[in-house]
Amino acid sequence: MGRCFNYKLLLNLCNFLFLICGLLMIVSGLYLFSDNKRILLSRLLAASSDRLSSLPQPLLFYISLGVAIAGFVAILAAVVGFWASCLHTYCFLSVYFLSVVVLLLTESVLCLAITLWPHCLGISLDENQMVRSLQSNYGVPGQEQFTNAMDLAQARFGCCGMRSSLDYDTSLWRLQSYGQRIWPVPLSCCVLANAGQSMAYLDPKPANESICQSIERESYERERHTESCLPHLDNWYREQYGIFLGGSLVLALVEFCVLLSIIMSCTGLATQRARLKKPILEVRAQKVKKRQTLIENIYEPEVELRENSSHSINGIYLGPASRHVSSEDFKELYIKPRDLYKHHHIVTGKPVPVDRPMQMRNYLV
């Protein structure tokens, strides 16, 4: 009983950790959902994918919702786990086990896909594709989200263009005059005087706009960012993925502990039932044994008699008695009156008087 109690205590502890993980996932999803800059910056990760770029919201927007929903499902599974621990039956433990396995498999497949095949999800940071995406989307009407994301990356990382500032020379923003024709680069590529402000990328104010927009490299090097943004985006993506992978590993570890505790609880339940059945089986075995002993005592096949005794009925000698009398001889006790008459006639050779049936029964007995 104590061991079963320990198994239930272990299961409740793992359920509590699982519940905490679910709450943390909901909080993380809501925090990520409220982080507008992070979500906006993830728009550049899907720039090379037509499927993801056609979505109305950036990639992290949907990931944040998915994390929050997964946390809610984890909380429901933990509640089922507490219920299964209280009822302590195979049915509820099996349901809880299957739900945790489904969550673990889904999480594992998603992490494996992001790690080994990110292009399957549309996440690709190929340099040529990113440059083409910049030249075809930046500053174009209807692509304000991509434009703001690029301005955010350039203001935050201190870079200009995916590969270099020359990417804007052949862009639609420059060729179609979506921006001012005299600007070779956007203002977000310049060293900003309001860089400390959180919304500086939406209203960039260069420290020296004329030098920043100069064509000569020797003039703008101090007032314009010259690094490419692609390495910074790649590092940022790896950082976000590392956070996601670390949280997934912690959740997977807790789920493995939950599965192990469920298995141990099932083992403890089986042991408890076996212990409860054992006294009942022992009592039944003792009853059966007593019943067999009683039957053997009543229906003993042979009864020892005195060796020199003789068998006679009312002075009539029936021959020497054997040392053992079979149980078949006791059938005479239950012989019907008609059989009694027949037996008397065979032994004595005389018919039985009609008025002495009871005497004949007594005499045979």
Side-chain angles (χ1 to χ4, degrees), residues 15-280:
N15 290 338
F16 180 74
L17 294 177
F18 195 32
L19 181 65
I20 295 298
C21 289
L23 291 175
L24 290 177
M25 290 176 66
I26 292 179
V27 172
S28 300
L30 295 177
Y31 174 77
L32 183 60
F33 184 79
S34 63
D35 194 348
N36 297 325
K37 291 184 179 181
R38 194 188 300 264
I39 292 178
L40 181 61
L41 202 58
S42 66
R43 177 65 178 81
L44 300 177
L45 299 179
S48 58
S49 174
D50 295 335
R51 292 179 301 173
L52 295 181
S53 60
S54 62
L55 294 176
Q57 298 296 334
L59 181 62
L60 281 183
F61 177 86
Y62 301 101
I63 292 179
S64 62
L65 293 180
V67 171
I69 294 174
F72 181 73
V73 173
I75 290 177
L76 290 181
V79 171
V80 173
F82 283 115
W83 194 10
S85 177
C86 294
L87 296 178
H88 206 58
T89 59
Y90 286 119
C91 180
F92 285 95
L93 288 174
S94 300
V95 172
Y96 186 37
F97 185 85
L98 292 177
S99 61
V100 176
V101 167
V102 170
L103 287 175
L104 183 60
L105 290 178
T106 304
E107 177 187 351
S108 301
V109 170
L110 184 60
C111 292
L112 187 64
I114 296 177
T115 305
L116 300 181
W117 305 288
H119 58 276
C120 295
L121 301 177
I123 302 175
S124 178
L125 296 179
D126 183 76
E127 182 176 349
N128 295 327
Q129 292 181 354
M130 296 296 286
V131 170
R132 285 197 297 267
S133 179
L134 171 64
Q135 293 175 346
S136 59
N137 294 321
Y138 184 83
V140 177
Q143 297 294 334
E144 289 80 8
Q145 202 175 70
F146 181 89
T147 303
N148 293 334
M150 195 64 200
D151 287 335
L152 174 61
Q154 292 175 151
R156 177 175 179 176
F157 300 131
C159 57
C160 185
M162 289 296 181
R163 184 164 44 197
S164 66
S165 59
L166 299 177
D167 296 338
Y168 291 101
D169 291 343
T170 55
S171 64
L172 294 178
W173 172 79
R174 183 80 179 275
L175 297 177
Q176 300 295 333
S177 301
Y178 291 126
Q180 294 187 17
R181 187 177 295 273
I182 61 175
W183 288 353
V185 293
L187 294 179
S188 57
C189 288
C190 302
V191 177
L192 301 180
N194 60 341
Q197 299 179 5
S198 59
M199 297 297 178
Y201 66 97
L202 297 178
D203 185 21
K205 296 179 179 180
N208 195 330
E209 181 178 342
S210 60
I211 297 178
C212 174
Q213 300 296 341
S214 176
I215 300 177
E216 297 178 1
R217 183 178 180 86
E218 296 178 355
S219 301
Y220 66 73
E221 279 185 348
R222 294 182 181 180
E223 299 296 334
R224 184 195 300 179
H225 304 304
T226 57
E227 295 182 3
S228 60
C229 292
L230 191 58
H232 294 283
L233 288 175
D234 185 67
N235 293 333
W236 181 82
Y237 164 71
R238 294 181 184 276
E239 179 183 353
Q240 306 308 311
Y241 171 71
I243 296 174
F244 177 78
L245 183 61
S248 300
L249 290 178
V250 172
L251 180 61
L253 181 61
V254 173
E255 289 173 347
F256 272 119
C257 293
V258 170
L259 294 178
L260 182 61
S261 64
I262 293 174
I263 295 174
M264 295 177 66
S265 297
C266 291
T267 305
L269 181 60
T271 304
Q272 182 183 7
R273 290 187 176 183
R275 288 180 179 178
L276 293 176
K277 287 182 179 180
K278 186 176 180 180
I280 298 176

